[in-house]
Amino acid sequence: MRFDQRAIRDYLLGRLPEEKAVEVDDCLFEDQALSLALQYERDCLIEDFAEGRLSRDEEEAFRAQCVRSPVLQAEVQSFRTLLKSIRRRAEPHRWWELRSKWMLIPVAGGLAAVLATFALLFQPSQRSAQRHAALHPQVAPASHAPTPDTVVFLSAIVPRGSAELPQVTIPQDALQVDIEVELRGSSAQEGDWHAELFDGGQIVREFDHLPRERVGSESFLRMLVDAKSLTSGLWSVRFYPGEKTQAVETRLFRLSRKPTLEQR
Amino acid sequence: MAPSAKTDEPKPRQRSGLTAAGFGVLLQALGGQSEPAGVRYERLRTNLIFFFSRKLLSFPEDLADEVLDRLAKRLCDGVAMVSIEAFALGIARYVAQEHTGSKDRTVTADPSFWNNIPAHSTTSSDEEEMRQLEACLNRLPAGEAVLLRRYYLSSPGSQIKARAALASELGISATALRQRVFLARQSLRSCMQKRFP
């Protein structure tokens, strides 16, 4: 990126020299990554202000921004409310429960990975291509059927919280993508599901009343998505059965578009 | 099963300049690329707010809406645009010149806002917002909710150490940790906007 964190922060605070600020303006309206970097830095500024970490100069500039923007004031207040809410809920016994669950995630993920590896070795699946796609950095297999032409299978064994997210590559000329999310555990018996597809933090599509699909012993949800709406970046699928919002699960993945031979 | 494209249809904000037809034309112009029109619209508006904020102009959100109104009007008039974003920036620069005087205008803020210390007591509106936040925290993926709690729970005195330990536990850098927290906050914000607009 052409601008470092210092420059971005100064831009937000209105302290970047005009010549440099104009450069940022020009890039900002063309570069999605820069826009996201600014949103990120703005959140950091709000957090640093609320937690008293801004330097004197920064704080003065930030206060001046607040004075000009009731929306920014509201965002600061909203962040303070979030802090209050989190701290109010932090009872010692609950904290321990959360900590335990948190620490179990990689262990459970590792265990599931071992079990799934055995399953792959000794019980060839009817959906082995899709499993393979979920287990390895992948180019999603394309079927010969006219729709969908690309399948993305998000396995349940991807350890949540892992530093390495699954990489999904979709051919540039794909038209319709079948995103499939494997279901595990007791909730996999549920027949009626709700799912949400996120581009970064932004919800892009919602799917109501998704039926559970089954092939052999595998249960999964299937979402057909227009490939044009799938841009490179961080994506996630959030899903839960019916109204049981306490049983929400999420699969994160990184998506990239693969150029066709003609485009290379 | 009928998928619905939620962000394709953002509601026009209450302002006099933008008609429903104009808003439709604007969304149509922003659509058809590799992402939903609603996502592109929100990013354009956010960028405009950044622009007016850095220009030190008051009410940057209103000025951003002013630009979008004028942009929609130009589109309705049949003006051809190579890049909608670049055209919007051009209008924004013009609007900024018109409003240079508004640098001196200020918004009133409750004096307690500047104390920067969350009050021990909570008002009924605080309670309502906390109730909404908690509902959304419960809807977040478990990993994101736990991440937010762990990141923000540490007391100010031990914050740096606690966050370094959290990053180390997750096997990521402090910067990557902060980015994950940012994404989790975006999810939370998205939930709040969707459920409690």
Side-chain angles (χ1 to χ4, degrees):
Chain A
M1 191 172 294
R2 284 173 58 187
F3 307 100
D4 61 17
Q5 191 217 1
R6 180 74 266 161
I8 288 173
R9 187 165 270 228
D10 282 347
Y11 177 89
L12 288 170
L13 293 171
R15 303 191 317 169
L16 200 62
E18 181 64 18
E19 196 180 324
K20 191 85 178 164
V22 169
E23 263 186 64
V24 178
D25 293 341
D26 289 334
C27 288
L28 174 60
F29 283 77
E30 298 297 334
D31 183 353
Q32 291 182 28
L34 180 58
S35 180
L36 192 65
L38 261 76
Q39 289 172 48
Y40 167 69
E41 199 56 41
R42 183 174 149 115
D43 265 17
C44 290
L45 272 171
I46 291 172
E47 182 185 310
D48 288 347
F49 173 70
E51 295 185 338
R53 286 198 303 261
L54 292 180
S55 69
R56 201 167 154 181
D57 288 350
E58 282 179 337
E59 182 164 338
E60 197 176 309
F62 186 80
R63 282 173 177 244
Q65 295 284 30
C66 286
V67 162
R68 293 185 198 97
S69 169
V71 174
L72 183 56
Q73 283 183 31
E75 284 183 22
V76 172
Q77 289 294 22
S78 181
F79 178 70
R80 288 171 176 161
T81 308
L82 170 66
L83 289 185
K84 260 195 257 181
S85 175
I86 285 175
R87 284 166 190 168
R88 188 167 73 171
R89 287 163 56 126
E91 295 162 15
H93 67 280
R94 177 179 284 174
W95 169 240
W96 172 244
E97 277 174 25
L98 290 168
R99 189 178 170 82
S100 302
K101 283 179 190 168
W102 182 257
M103 291 171 78
L104 279 173
I105 287 168
V107 177
L111 197 61
V114 171
L115 290 173
T117 307
F118 273 99
L120 275 177
L121 285 172
F122 298 111
Q123 293 182 343
S125 164
Q126 297 170 51
R127 301 170 58 81
S128 58
Q130 290 170 356
R131 267 195 211 256
H132 185 270
L135 286 167
H136 300 281
Q138 62 189 26
V139 173
S143 80
H144 295 294
T147 54
D149 53 3
T150 305
V151 176
V152 172
F153 187 67
L154 299 171
S155 166
I157 66 164
V158 176
R160 190 189 289 151
S162 162
E164 294 297 321
L165 294 175
Q167 292 281 346
V168 171
T169 306
I170 292 178
Q172 201 67 265
D173 55 353
L175 295 174
Q176 192 155 39
V177 178
D178 179 2
I179 297 180
E180 296 182 359
V181 180
E182 188 184 11
L183 301 171
R184 278 286 169 92
S186 55
S187 63
Q189 302 309 314
E190 298 282 345
D192 183 29
W193 289 77
H194 180 89
E196 296 160 349
L197 184 62
F198 285 78
D199 178 6
Q202 185 80 44
I203 187 165
V204 174
R205 292 282 294 274
E206 274 195 17
F207 302 84
D208 281 317
H209 305 298
L210 277 178
R212 177 193 54 169
E213 309 262 354
R214 283 186 74 97
V215 173
S217 60
E218 290 182 356
S219 299
F220 58 97
L221 301 177
R222 170 178 283 165
M223 288 159 277
L224 292 178
V225 181
D226 184 350
K228 277 192 295 184
S229 65
L230 296 172
T231 52
S232 295
L234 179 64
W235 286 75
S236 57
V237 178
R238 184 185 304 175
F239 55 97
Y240 53 86
E243 290 302 309
K244 294 180 182 172
T245 53
Q246 74 277 18
V248 174
E249 280 188 68
T250 295
R251 302 279 155 75
L252 283 163
F253 59 101
R254 285 198 188 283
L255 191 148
S256 58
R257 303 301 299 260
K258 182 186 178 193
T260 56
L261 287 174
E262 293 79 9
Q263 289 170 316
R264 283 180 196 167
Chain B
M1 138 186 66
S4 55
K6 287 280 179 189
T7 49
D8 269 342
E9 299 167 354
K11 302 273 187 302
R13 289 171 176 79
Q14 292 295 316
R15 51 188 202 259
S16 57
L18 189 61
T19 62
F23 185 67
V25 169
L26 178 55
L27 273 191
Q28 196 179 2
L30 289 170
Q33 289 201 348
S34 55
E35 63 185 337
V39 173
R40 202 169 154 205
Y41 171 88
E42 287 299 340
R43 188 171 58 246
L44 176 58
R45 185 171 184 272
T46 301
N47 289 344
L48 288 165
I49 294 169
F50 286 144
F51 171 78
F52 288 117
S53 298
R54 81 100 181 146
K55 284 281 194 181
L56 306 180
L57 293 168
S58 297
F59 302 100
E61 299 81 13
D62 292 354
L63 296 176
D65 289 339
E66 170 74 25
V67 171
L68 292 169
D69 291 352
R70 293 190 193 188
L71 183 64
K73 188 169 183 312
R74 297 292 173 86
L75 285 166
C76 288
D77 291 343
V79 174
M81 298 175 194
V82 176
S83 160
I84 292 178
E85 280 80 3
F87 202 93
L89 176 58
I91 298 175
R93 285 182 168 140
Y94 192 76
V95 170
Q97 275 187 338
E98 289 176 347
H99 287 78
T100 309
S102 76
K103 281 186 182 181
D104 301 327
R105 290 165 61 203
T106 56
V107 183
T108 51
D110 185 314
S112 65
F113 179 83
W114 306 114
N115 292 341
N116 206 18
I117 299 167
H120 289 295
S121 60
T122 50
T123 63
S124 57
S125 67
D126 278 349
E127 282 295 339
E128 176 63 11
E129 195 180 351
M130 281 170 85
R131 192 188 59 73
Q132 293 171 351
L133 265 170
E134 282 174 14
C136 280
L137 276 170
N138 287 336
R139 284 178 68 94
L140 284 185
E144 285 187 358
V146 173
L147 177 67
L148 283 175
R149 289 187 186 119
R150 289 198 63 184
Y151 188 82
Y152 287 121
L153 259 179
S154 47
S155 60
S158 60
Q159 219 163 54
I160 294 174
K161 273 188 186 172
R163 288 177 183 175
L166 178 58
S168 163
E169 191 179 315
L170 294 171
I172 56 178
S173 68
T175 307
L177 175 65
R178 209 167 185 187
Q179 284 168 351
R180 280 203 192 177
V181 170
F182 165 68
L183 289 175
R185 277 175 65 187
Q186 277 203 324
S187 298
L188 192 62
R189 203 174 290 140
S190 173
C191 171
M192 290 287 281
Q193 283 166 357
K194 189 178 145 210
R195 286 172 59 93
F196 311 105

